[in-house]
């Protein structure tokens, strides 16, 4: 359902050209949990932006859910993001001084979901993200880091998107909350069959995924589905204690 | 995004920064309030000036003699109105020969020392014909105005203004007691037969500080000649004024044997043209006030733009997030436009109320009868809304065109 074929991204500043992505191709199927890894400057952020429909490739095609999105305009991309993609950011990016519920309902507002339906859907996805119900009316600045990131995950889920794209979601969290948040992603993938792409530069974080795509200098260095299994089994055992 | 959502977002955003929103709004409040109040005061001044011109009488043409000219000599001109070219005979001829006239009043005006029982004052003594009372709207509250018989018989009777009355007989003098008393004008004894109603001290001369005596008496005993200082002509209607003015001019030119109208030894003031001139002067004045207030409104608008630009910069990451989760350019642009529009519309409404209050206070304190026109309220409201759109447009466009990737990374 994600099919990236031969995409390149070239940034030109004046005379110099930077090739951030160089003829990259891969496929990701529905229900996969993929980590995209690479050091800074490897092109993984550029790849994330293109996969998240925030940017378009200079050449090549990107087919998301059967639709070629590689040549769309700004507003058309916004429309695709609204329907198909849920974002989780490193910096959380919740609206300050706004309640948890309102934050989660925000994407529904832009998607023209009737008001009556919004709260119900927001509560459903907050539950899926594992946030305690007593926090729903809290302002986002009254929550801990782990709670904030779960609100952000709930916001990414609320539109029922084809793809959840998490960009360094644990970069600002301590190791304990990191584990909670990554367990949440695993559970969403295992139990709800969500397609998740996790962008990270940390090996431990990437191991939570079932497949790791390593990017370096604009190329795919390796695409590996074997070395993560151990962690996944560990995860499956740990899952019941999460609730 | 429904319009309800849009309003909710706007309310949340504005209430997050109440002090800033309030201060920015204050710029618009002051701008709009000053436009409303100053235009109302300007209109009030215009109405007040017009009413004092109207208080001279209605449909009035005022004929005055021209300047004394030293034909072929060197001497200085003694100024307009000083020459002895307008006579009682002229006035009678106008009355008899020009059509469309209601009344013609003769007037010999000069200042004399007036004394009564040891007090004295220097005031304007007007020798007038009885028609003057009609033409110039002079009403006698106590006693009577003199009749044409009294004019013909050179009666030494006088009608005095209320100010002259208090000047001569003390502040607590009553009109009824003053009638029958005697005063001396330039040493000649006159009997008071009436006191006029107060008109207020507005206009070119204070019509309450006056002594009216029969024109023939003035000509014989005070002026020493039948030369009039003014002939007041009342036309039958406003439409007839131009015709009466032309006919009077022709008649007087003919009587004075002047063939070139530019050499006329008299001039005719048309009340309508005085009103028109005064209106245009006060209109310019109102425009000037409005323009000054308009500048403060412009400054208020720039304040709005400044605030919106600051807000867009501060909320860059929020804009990035909104775009990432699917807001299109129109959603973002509408949100910021509505914020500035709400600021200016609320500011405008408060400004209108404040402006009306200022106008009301101006009227209540008796300074001037300021009049707020519905038109200026509608205009002010439209202008404030327009300011919201115009000065909000650029910041909104900046927000809408942000690249979501850069916006999300903004520190």
């Amino acid at each position: 359902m994600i099919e990236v074929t031969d995409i390149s991204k070239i940034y030109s500043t004046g005379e110099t050209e930077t090739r951030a992505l160089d003829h990259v191709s891969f496929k990701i199927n529905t229900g996969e949990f993929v980590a995209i890894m690479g050091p800074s400057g490897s092109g993984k952020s550029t790849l994330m932006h293109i996969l998240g429909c925030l940017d378009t490739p200079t050449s090549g095609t990107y087919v998301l859910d059967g639709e070629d999105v590689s040549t769309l305009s700004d507003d058309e991309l916004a429309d695709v993001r609204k329907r198909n993609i849920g974002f989780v950011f490193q910096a959380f990016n919740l609206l300050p001084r706004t309640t948890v519920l309102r934050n989660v309902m925000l994407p529904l507002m832009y998607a023209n979901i009737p008001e009556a339906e919004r709260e119900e859907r927001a509560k459903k996805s907050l539950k899926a993200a594992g946030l305690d119900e007593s926090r729903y009316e809290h302002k986002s600045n009254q929550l801990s880091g782990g709670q904030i990131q779960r609100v952000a995950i709930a916001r990414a889920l609320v539109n029922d998107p084809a793809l959840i794209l998490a960009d360094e979601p644990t970069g600002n969290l301590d190791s304990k909350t990191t584990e909670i948040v990554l367990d949440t992603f695993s559970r969403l993938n295992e139990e709800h069959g969500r397609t998740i792409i996790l962008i990270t530069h940390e090996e431990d974080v990437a191991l939570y995924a079932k497949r790791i795509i390593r990017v370096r200098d604009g190329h795919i260095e390796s695409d590996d589905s074997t070395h993560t299994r151990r962690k996944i089994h560990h995860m499956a055992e740990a899952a019941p204690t999460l609730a | 995004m429904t319009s309800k959502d849009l309003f909710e977002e706007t309310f949340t955003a504005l209430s997050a920064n109440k002090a800033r929103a309030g201060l920015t709004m204050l710029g618009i409040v002051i701008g709009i309030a000053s436009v409303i109040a100053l235009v109302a005061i300007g209109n009030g001044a215009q109405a007040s000036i017009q009413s004092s011109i109207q208080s001279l009488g209605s449909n009035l043409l005022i004929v005055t003699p021209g300047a004394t000219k030293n034909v072929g000599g060197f001497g200085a001109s003694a100024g307009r109105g000083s020459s002895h070219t307008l006579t009682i005979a002229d006035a009678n001829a106008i009355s008899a020969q020009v059509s469309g006239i209601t009344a013609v009043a003769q007037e010999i005006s000069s200042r004399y020392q007036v004394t009564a029982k040891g007090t004295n004052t220097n005031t304007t003594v007007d020798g007038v014909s009885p028609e003057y009372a009609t033409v110039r709207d002079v009403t006698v509250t106590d006693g009577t105005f003199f009749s044409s018989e009294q004019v013909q018989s050179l009666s030494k009777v006088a009608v005095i203004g209320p100010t002259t009355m208090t000047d001569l007989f003390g502040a607590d003098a009553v009109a009824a007691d003053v009638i029958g008393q005697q005063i001396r004008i330039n040493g000649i004894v006159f009997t008071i037969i009436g006191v006029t109603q107060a008109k207020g001290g507005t206009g070119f001369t204070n019509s309450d500080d006056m002594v009216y005596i029969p024109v023939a008496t003035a000509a014989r005993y005070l002026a020493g000649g039948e030369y009039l200082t003014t002939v007041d002509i009342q036309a039958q209607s406003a439409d007839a004024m131009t015709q009466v003015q032309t006919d009077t001019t022709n008649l007087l030119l003919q009587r004075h044997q002047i063939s070139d109208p530019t050499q006329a030894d008299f001039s005719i003031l048309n009340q309508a043209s005085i009103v028109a001139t005064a209106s245009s002067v006060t209109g310019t004045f109102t425009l000037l006030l409005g323009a000054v207030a308009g500048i403060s409104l412009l400054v208020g608008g720039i304040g709005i733009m400044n605030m919106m630009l600051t807000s867009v910069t501060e909320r860059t990451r929020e804009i990035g997030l909104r775009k990432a989760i699917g807001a299109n350019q129109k959603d973002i642009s509408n949100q910021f436009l509505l914020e500035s529009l709400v600021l200016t519309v609320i500011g405008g409404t408060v400004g209108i109320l404040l402006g009306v209050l200022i106008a009301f206070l101006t009227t209540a304190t008796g300074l001037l009868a300021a009049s707020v026109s519905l038109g200026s309220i509608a205009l002010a409201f439209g202008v404030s809304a327009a300011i919201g759109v115009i000065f909000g447009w650029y910041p909104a466009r900046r927000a809408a065109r942000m690249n979501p990737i850069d916006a999300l990374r903004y520190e």
Side-chain angles (χ1 to χ4, degrees):
Chain A
M1 71 123 227
I2 285 181
E3 198 172 349
V4 172
T5 315
D6 206 24
I7 57 166
S8 298
K9 181 74 184 179
I10 299 163
Y11 296 105
S12 38
T13 43
E15 306 240 317
T16 54
E17 275 193 357
T18 315
R19 194 170 276 266
L21 287 176
D22 195 9
H23 301 289
V24 171
S25 303
F26 58 85
K27 274 187 194 180
I28 295 172
N29 293 317
T30 306
E32 278 199 84
F33 185 0
V34 182
I36 295 177
M37 275 201 71
S40 55
S42 61
K44 72 175 188 312
S45 291
T46 308
L47 186 57
M48 192 280 281
H49 293 148
I50 291 172
L51 290 177
C53 293
L54 291 166
D55 207 350
T56 49
T58 314
S59 66
T61 57
Y62 168 27
V63 177
L64 171 66
D65 221 11
E67 183 185 3
D68 184 358
V69 295
S70 35
T71 54
L72 298 182
S73 73
D74 273 10
D75 277 355
E76 286 165 336
L77 283 177
D79 205 44
V80 174
R81 292 195 293 270
K82 167 158 72 183
R83 281 184 283 115
N84 292 325
I85 297 165
F87 285 97
V88 179
F89 300 101
Q90 175 176 5
F92 320 126
N93 285 315
L94 296 192
L95 297 185
R97 295 175 298 270
T98 307
T99 64
V100 166
L101 261 181
R102 273 193 63 128
N103 262 296
V104 177
M105 288 193 289
L106 199 63
L108 299 176
M109 181 177 88
Y110 291 114
N112 286 321
I113 305 293
E115 228 183 318
E117 216 180 295
R118 290 183 201 166
E119 196 168 316
E120 197 189 324
R121 284 179 67 165
K123 282 180 175 167
K124 212 174 111 192
S125 64
L126 276 164
K127 208 171 170 188
L131 188 79
D132 194 72
E133 204 164 332
S134 64
R135 309 277 177 203
Y136 289 2
E137 291 300 328
H138 280 51
K139 299 277 167 70
S140 51
N141 41 339
Q142 297 169 317
L143 302 175
S144 70
Q147 288 167 337
I148 290 178
Q149 201 55 302
R150 287 208 227 184
V151 176
I153 294 170
R155 184 181 62 197
L157 283 175
V158 78
N159 259 354
D160 203 12
L163 171 66
I164 291 175
L165 203 58
D167 180 20
E168 302 274 8
T170 58
N172 285 356
L173 301 175
D174 58 36
S175 56
K176 193 168 172 291
T177 12
T178 296
E179 202 170 318
I180 295 171
V181 166
L182 290 173
D183 285 346
T184 309
F185 280 119
S186 293
R187 194 164 45 79
L188 287 171
N189 174 247
E190 298 269 305
E191 294 172 19
H192 299 263
R194 294 285 178 185
T195 313
I196 297 167
I197 298 178
L198 188 66
I199 287 89
T200 184
H201 65 273
E202 287 175 80
E203 199 73 36
D204 321 357
V205 173
L207 284 174
Y208 277 77
K210 293 175 182 169
R211 172 181 168 193
I212 301 176
I213 298 176
R214 289 174 201 274
V215 185
R216 187 180 284 272
D217 298 331
H219 296 281
I220 292 185
E221 199 181 42
S222 67
D223 189 342
D224 182 7
S225 313
T226 53
H227 285 91
T228 60
R229 282 292 167 193
R230 186 184 51 86
K231 197 76 191 177
I232 292 299
H233 285 299
H234 163 79
M235 270 300 313
E237 285 162 18
T241 60
L242 277 173
Chain B
M1 204 176 183
T2 65
S3 44
K4 183 167 176 271
D5 293 330
L6 206 53
F7 273 100
E8 268 178 20
E9 290 291 327
T10 302
F11 176 76
T12 315
L14 289 179
S15 56
N17 243 319
K18 288 192 193 74
R20 190 201 286 170
L23 285 172
T24 310
M25 231 187 276
L26 197 59
I28 296 295
V29 170
I30 291 171
I32 291 287
S34 41
V35 168
I36 297 270
L38 291 182
V39 169
I41 287 168
N43 286 340
Q46 189 161 7
S48 145
I49 289 171
Q50 278 185 10
S51 88
S52 37
I53 294 170
Q54 295 296 353
S55 80
L56 292 175
S58 48
N59 303 331
L60 201 61
L61 288 165
I62 299 166
V63 188
T64 49
T68 315
K69 288 196 179 80
N70 263 351
V71 182
F74 298 103
S77 166
R80 271 184 189 276
S82 62
S83 76
H84 294 170
T85 51
L86 211 55
T87 61
I88 291 177
D90 283 336
N92 290 334
I94 292 167
S95 182
Q97 292 174 39
V98 177
S99 62
I101 287 177
T102 319
V104 175
Q106 306 159 4
E107 186 180 352
I108 300 173
S109 184
S110 192
R111 292 187 78 89
Y112 293 104
Q113 207 67 23
V114 181
T115 59
K117 287 185 181 168
T119 56
N120 74 92
T121 180
N122 188 290
T123 187
T124 309
V125 177
D126 257 8
V128 298
S129 58
E131 295 84 359
Y132 185 88
T134 335
V135 172
R136 284 292 184 96
D137 273 346
V138 177
T139 321
V140 176
T141 46
D142 287 273
T144 52
F145 210 77
F146 37 81
S147 63
S148 40
E149 288 74 29
Q150 281 169 310
V151 175
Q152 274 163 20
S153 62
L154 303 179
S155 297
K156 288 172 190 154
V157 291
V159 173
I160 63 173
T163 307
T164 315
M165 177 183 81
T166 49
D167 284 351
L168 290 174
F169 297 99
D172 43 355
V174 183
D177 300 339
V178 171
I179 290 164
Q181 304 263 19
Q182 292 190 326
I183 52 171
R184 283 170 181 270
I185 302 170
N186 211 19
I188 301 161
V189 178
F190 284 78
T191 307
I192 298 171
I193 58 164
V195 178
T196 65
Q197 189 179 30
K199 269 184 157 185
T202 52
F204 305 110
T205 49
N206 186 350
S207 56
D208 292 344
D209 188 12
M210 281 281 194
V211 177
Y212 300 107
I213 58 172
V215 63
T217 317
R220 173 71 63 87
Y221 298 109
L222 296 174
E226 300 212 324
Y227 300 110
L228 299 175
T229 50
T230 316
V231 175
D232 297 321
I233 305 167
Q234 187 172 41
Q236 276 168 358
S237 67
D239 298 336
M241 285 179 79
T242 315
Q243 169 254 315
V244 172
Q245 182 170 7
T246 317
D247 291 356
T248 309
T249 308
N250 292 339
L251 177 69
L252 288 178
L253 285 174
Q254 185 200 329
R255 284 179 61 85
H256 296 180
Q257 292 167 344
I258 298 164
S259 50
D260 180 4
T262 59
Q263 296 295 313
D265 57 358
F266 60 91
S267 57
I268 302 181
L269 266 180
N270 186 324
Q271 192 187 19
S273 65
I274 300 173
V275 171
T277 308
S279 293
S280 104
V281 169
T282 51
T284 310
F285 173 68
T286 306
L287 196 69
L288 183 75
L289 287 177
V292 170
I295 290 169
S296 76
L297 195 55
L298 182 72
V299 173
I302 293 168
I304 293 273
M305 182 134 130
N306 187 22
M307 176 197 161
M308 292 313 296
L309 282 175
T310 310
S311 167
V312 166
T313 308
E314 274 180 2
R315 286 154 67 190
T316 301
R317 292 178 66 123
E318 180 194 322
I319 294 163
L321 170 82
R322 286 178 188 274
K323 296 196 90 170
I325 62 174
N328 57 30
Q329 296 201 355
K330 211 175 127 211
D331 291 330
I332 301 289
S333 153
N334 281 350
Q335 187 182 339
F336 282 93
L337 257 187
L338 189 67
E339 273 178 41
S340 77
L341 196 60
V342 164
L343 281 179
T344 53
V345 167
I346 295 177
T349 311
V350 175
I352 288 169
L353 294 177
L354 187 66
V356 171
L357 183 71
I358 292 171
F360 174 77
L361 287 179
T362 312
T363 312
T365 51
L367 275 164
L368 198 73
S371 73
V372 180
S373 67
L374 267 177
S376 72
I377 289 179
L379 187 72
F381 200 79
V383 164
S384 56
I387 282 174
V389 174
I390 292 165
F391 289 93
W393 181 80
Y394 174 65
R397 197 176 87 121
R398 232 163 97 152
R401 293 204 171 173
M402 272 183 189
N403 178 338
I405 300 168
D406 298 336
L408 279 166
R409 280 193 193 142
Y410 184 83
E411 291 297 329

